[in-house]
Amino acid sequence: MLNNKNKLTPILNQIMQRNVGEKEFHQAVHEVLGSLSPVITRHPEYADDALIERLCEPERQIIFRIPWIDDNGQVCVNRGFRVQFNSALGPCKGGLRFHPSVNLGIIKFLGFEQIFKNALTGMPLGGGKGGADFDPRGRSAREIMRFCQSFMSELHRHIGEYTDVPAGDIGVGGREIGYMFGQFKRLTNRYETGVITGKDLLHGGSHARTEATGYGAVYFFERMLATRGHSLEGQRAIVSGSGNVAIYTIQKLISLGVKVIACSDSNGFIVDEAGIDIDLVRKIKEQHRSRISEYAKLKGSSVKYVADRSIWDVPCTIAIPSATQNELTDDDARTLVKNGLIALGEGANMPCTPEAVHIFQEAGVLFAPGKAVNAGGVATSALEMQQNASRERWTFEETENNLSKIMHNIHDLCYETAEKYDMPGNYISGANIAGFIRVAEAMQALGVV
Ligand code: NDP
Ligand code: 2IT
């Protein structure tokens, strides 16, 4: 926590006042600035020239109208966002989220986190995020296509290989990226593959990008467990969500001998004590775009489907929340600790509330933040950009090898930075400080811009 004498407090107050009501953005800024006192004490020059104030103010924020026509011929209007937060280290980079809850505060929290996450990867990437308050659930493929085309009709003039490179996030996967890339190409008359990542293999996509966030999370997690002499084998895991990140986290965990017993969607969760059948989850989610309750229907009485409780009530030794922000509360944290949790890694962005994080830290649970754990997605996006620039295609194995090295480096950087700043085992401070130092040095070298 910040103390009142700290020079960061007035900066924080000004950010709260200037960005009224943007509660997720406030939460993310609090968390990062709350870690920076030791680094500013050792390196006061990092706070010169209003560097922290500049870091917390996006370079550019674009808000736009997205009119589109549904299958009944009705005109619908949504709101689109792209926040280009910081391009000191490279073009702005970060996903697009389509979800009814999307607003400016959510996109800004995600864009802010992305700056430090991208810095941790060691790749030449700035930070940004975008999306729309569009609800893809229940929409036909044609409606999704028309929406994506209208979204890109405005977005195309703001992005580019050297400016800002979007990708997927909640509600945006390979299908949506394809529609958006198609519209970008049509409007600009350029086959500029480096403008967006998460493309399919036919259009310059990279092997392993689909799997990257989940696989990367498991590589990080494995290394974190090893710092206390634990291994993955034989652990009992819960992974919330059942989208892109959750599916490939579960798949990799199972392949390494973990028993994953529960996962969820926004309607409820399933508990399969025999261990989740990930191929069935993939079929339900990726092919049929259906609800997780289908899993229980197909498996019969050995599987429980629960819609009126928290997934975190189910006992486990390791947890990887991989759905959305603030999905895991202080009550959940207390239950998990009581039930014997030894480690938690954030697969999603900011899934644990600050109170929950505090409980884990007090209880001595190994805890790692999303900006480190889930960085494998954006790191593999950078590998996709690299392949696009050189017109190469690496094999799955080569790409996955690169990913695992990057995740091990991120882990070690966070771990060693925490030690260096006298907070051994504190991955939140390690990630925030290491990411900050890289961005601060890049910003300083560019002058006041
Ligand atoms: P998907 O859209 O593929 O899946 C999201 C999952 O989370 C679904 O199961 C969804 O359920 C559930 N979910 C979403 N919103 C809510 C909510 N408000 N309440 C409860 N459940 C919810 O998204 P991803 O898997 O790509 O993203 C998951 C998280 O990981 C997000 O925080 C994202 O920012 C983060 N992330 C994603 C990366 C990527 O490469 N895709 C990279 C790094 C982080 P339902 O279907 O019912 O809505
Ligand atoms: O939160 C994230 O890191 C992502 N949604 C992936 C971003 C990217 O550009 O691949």
Side-chain angles (χ1 to χ4, degrees):
M1 273 279 120
L2 295 171
N3 81 45
N4 282 334
K5 291 198 199 100
N6 198 299
K7 71 198 311 183
L8 294 167
T9 305
I11 301 178
L12 200 52
N13 289 341
Q14 192 197 30
I15 293 163
M16 302 302 121
Q17 280 161 21
R18 188 178 262 168
N19 303 285
V20 175
E22 297 176 359
K23 61 182 185 351
E24 291 85 1
F25 179 53
H26 296 182
Q27 186 182 332
V29 172
H30 254 280
E31 195 236 74
V32 172
L33 266 52
S35 298
L36 298 186
S37 291
V39 70
I40 301 299
T41 306
R42 268 190 220 184
H43 295 283
E45 71 276 12
Y46 288 152
D48 286 351
D49 294 332
L51 187 140
I52 296 175
E53 290 89 330
R54 284 186 286 136
L55 184 59
C56 295
E57 182 67 19
E59 287 175 15
R60 186 178 295 112
Q61 312 184 48
I62 304 143
I63 303 183
F64 50 99
R65 178 171 68 203
I66 313 161
W68 58 282
I69 299 173
D70 73 11
D71 285 347
N72 300 320
Q74 294 293 316
V75 175
C76 306
V77 180
N78 284 95
R79 183 174 288 177
F81 302 87
R82 187 73 189 169
V83 173
Q84 296 170 346
F85 224 117
N86 192 297
S87 62
L89 282 167
C92 292
K93 181 84 193 87
L96 297 169
R97 176 177 291 191
F98 291 169
H99 193 272
S101 63
V102 162
N103 58 37
L104 184 59
I106 289 183
I107 298 300
K108 279 170 66 177
F109 118 65
L110 291 163
F112 186 69
E113 289 277 293
Q114 200 83 44
I115 303 171
F116 306 98
K117 179 194 306 190
N118 294 2
L120 287 172
T121 66
M123 319 289 278
L125 301 170
K129 200 82 184 192
D133 61 356
F134 169 70
D135 189 354
R137 272 179 57 182
R139 292 295 181 185
S140 69
R142 293 295 164 142
E143 289 179 315
I144 302 275
M145 181 178 74
R146 288 194 294 274
F147 178 81
C148 289
Q149 289 174 338
S150 183
F151 184 81
M152 188 51 85
S153 294
E154 175 57 34
L155 190 69
H156 82 280
R157 55 184 121 251
H158 307 291
I159 59 175
E161 172 180 6
Y162 299 110
T163 312
D164 181 9
V165 184
D169 193 82
I170 290 177
V172 178
R175 175 181 63 171
E176 292 74 22
I177 296 291
Y179 293 151
M180 286 191 268
F181 182 58
Q183 183 73 348
F184 179 89
K185 189 171 74 62
R186 183 183 186 199
L187 290 168
T188 60
N189 196 29
R190 285 165 65 88
Y191 207 106
E192 187 182 324
T193 46
V195 74
I196 197 162
T197 61
K199 301 178 294 295
D200 66 32
L201 292 175
L202 283 171
H203 303 107
S206 173
H207 281 298
R209 175 61 189 90
T210 307
E211 297 82 358
T213 312
Y215 284 16
V218 177
Y219 291 133
F220 185 102
F221 204 91
E222 195 176 27
R223 206 150 171 111
M224 176 168 82
L225 282 180
T227 64
R228 291 208 190 150
H230 299 298
S231 72
L232 278 171
E233 181 139 27
Q235 302 289 350
R236 186 180 149 93
I238 298 183
V239 178
S240 61
S242 49
N244 174 268
V245 178
I247 285 174
Y248 294 98
T249 298
I250 296 172
Q251 193 187 66
K252 184 56 91 183
L253 285 173
I254 293 171
S255 76
L256 294 172
V258 175
K259 194 175 205 190
V260 185
I261 37 119
C263 70
S264 62
D265 60 22
S266 56
N267 294 101
F269 65 92
I270 50 157
V271 185
D272 187 343
E273 285 290 347
I276 282 175
D277 174 351
I278 193 59
D279 292 335
L280 182 58
V281 174
R282 282 186 63 189
K283 206 185 245 171
I284 291 167
K285 288 291 169 183
E286 292 181 344
Q287 284 174 25
H288 302 156
R289 297 179 187 276
S290 186
R291 310 312 303 159
I292 202 67
S293 54
E294 280 300 305
Y295 184 100
K297 277 190 205 143
L298 292 167
K299 283 271 178 174
S301 62
S302 63
V303 174
K304 261 197 306 194
Y305 174 70
V306 186
D308 58 356
R309 276 186 18 232
S310 166
I311 189 172
W312 308 115
D313 291 346
V314 180
C316 62
T317 56
I318 62 173
I320 308 193
S322 304
T324 194
Q325 66 275 356
N326 293 325
E327 56 163 304
L328 194 159
T329 65
D330 49 346
D331 280 344
D332 296 324
R334 272 185 283 273
T335 309
L336 283 164
V337 169
K338 182 171 62 85
N339 286 339
L341 185 78
I342 61 166
L344 183 144
E346 294 187 325
N349 287 307
M350 210 169 74
C352 300
T353 64
E355 297 77 20
V357 174
H358 183 69
I359 290 165
F360 292 132
Q361 290 188 317
E362 289 286 295
V365 168
L366 273 169
F367 179 91
K371 60 171 77 67
V373 177
N374 71 36
V378 75
T380 307
S381 280
L383 301 179
E384 181 173 334
M385 291 160 75
Q386 213 171 317
Q387 292 170 79
N388 292 156
S390 61
R391 297 178 183 273
E392 280 177 323
R393 156 82 37 80
W394 309 340
T395 62
F396 194 99
E397 291 68 30
E398 250 178 303
T399 319
E400 199 190 352
N401 258 334
N402 269 317
L403 167 66
S404 77
K405 279 190 207 132
I406 293 168
M407 295 314 295
H408 289 163
N409 288 341
I410 294 174
H411 172 276
D412 294 355
L413 178 63
C414 297
Y415 186 83
E416 285 158 16
T417 305
E419 298 234 304
K420 193 167 157 195
Y421 282 86
D422 305 321
M423 287 170 287
N426 187 336
Y427 286 86
I428 298 184
S429 296
N432 287 337
I433 293 175
F436 170 76
I437 290 175
R438 198 154 185 257
V439 181
E441 288 181 350
M443 284 176 74
Q444 271 176 335
L446 292 172
V448 177
V449 287

